[in-house]
Amino acid sequence: SMPKFIMLLHDSGTFPPDISPDEIQAIIQRYVAWKQKVLAHGRLMDGHKLADGAGRVLRGTVGSPKVTDGPYAETKEHIGGILILEARDLNHAIQLMSKHPGVKAGPFEIRPAEDLTGMIRESEQRRAGGSAGGA
């Protein structure tokens, strides 16, 4: 399987609020065409636009976790959406994402995702071995 990359869309609010239904349809058509190309050369695992104002921050503390409103940042850009993509390498992910119609709305941060499958498998094997001989 190919490495996975997480794309964070930094939304700067550059699309006008009075965008017409025809313009929205054109954007959707460009996205569908982009998605078809990605599926031919990589693999789009998942993607979502983030809802405005619905977030909370969960922080681990001594005792129970603490939940606060947020996140808040001193910037005009905020994370507006995420995509998970499989690609051969970082350059391939950049190549695939460079054609995404959302690049015009704001930059994408492209980050490799660490594959934790092996670590999780080892942990499950240790727990299964420990519970069979112990408790």
Side-chain angles (χ1 to χ4, degrees):
S1 110
M2 291 191 284
K4 291 179 180 65
F5 295 86
I6 308 295
M7 270 51 73
L8 303 171
L9 169 61
H10 292 262
D11 186 358
S12 58
T14 56
F15 281 133
D18 59 346
I19 191 167
S20 75
D22 288 342
E23 291 169 310
I24 291 171
Q25 284 303 314
I27 291 168
I28 291 170
Q29 289 172 354
R30 285 193 301 272
Y31 172 76
V32 169
W34 171 84
K35 183 178 176 181
Q36 292 304 316
K37 287 180 184 177
V38 167
L39 292 174
H41 301 286
R43 189 165 155 211
L44 182 64
M45 305 296 295
D46 210 350
H48 299 279
K49 179 184 182 318
L50 301 181
D52 291 334
R56 299 292 181 266
V57 175
L58 177 66
R59 287 188 173 82
T61 60
V62 177
S64 61
K66 182 177 180 180
V67 178
T68 59
D69 288 343
Y72 298 107
E74 297 294 324
T75 179
K76 292 181 181 180
E77 289 182 349
H78 63 277
I79 304 295
I82 62 166
L83 293 171
I84 303 171
L85 176 77
E86 280 188 341
R88 291 185 305 270
D89 55 29
L90 181 58
N91 288 332
H92 185 219
I94 292 168
Q95 177 188 6
L96 293 171
M97 289 307 298
S98 68
K99 305 295 185 204
H100 190 286
V103 170
K104 294 176 183 174
F108 277 97
E109 180 179 341
I110 302 173
R111 301 192 56 178
E114 190 170 338
D115 184 357
L116 301 177
T117 306
M119 185 178 75
I120 292 168
R121 187 177 307 118
E122 288 175 21
S123 176
E124 289 170 345
Q125 289 171 349
R126 280 194 305 273
R127 280 195 315 250
S131 64

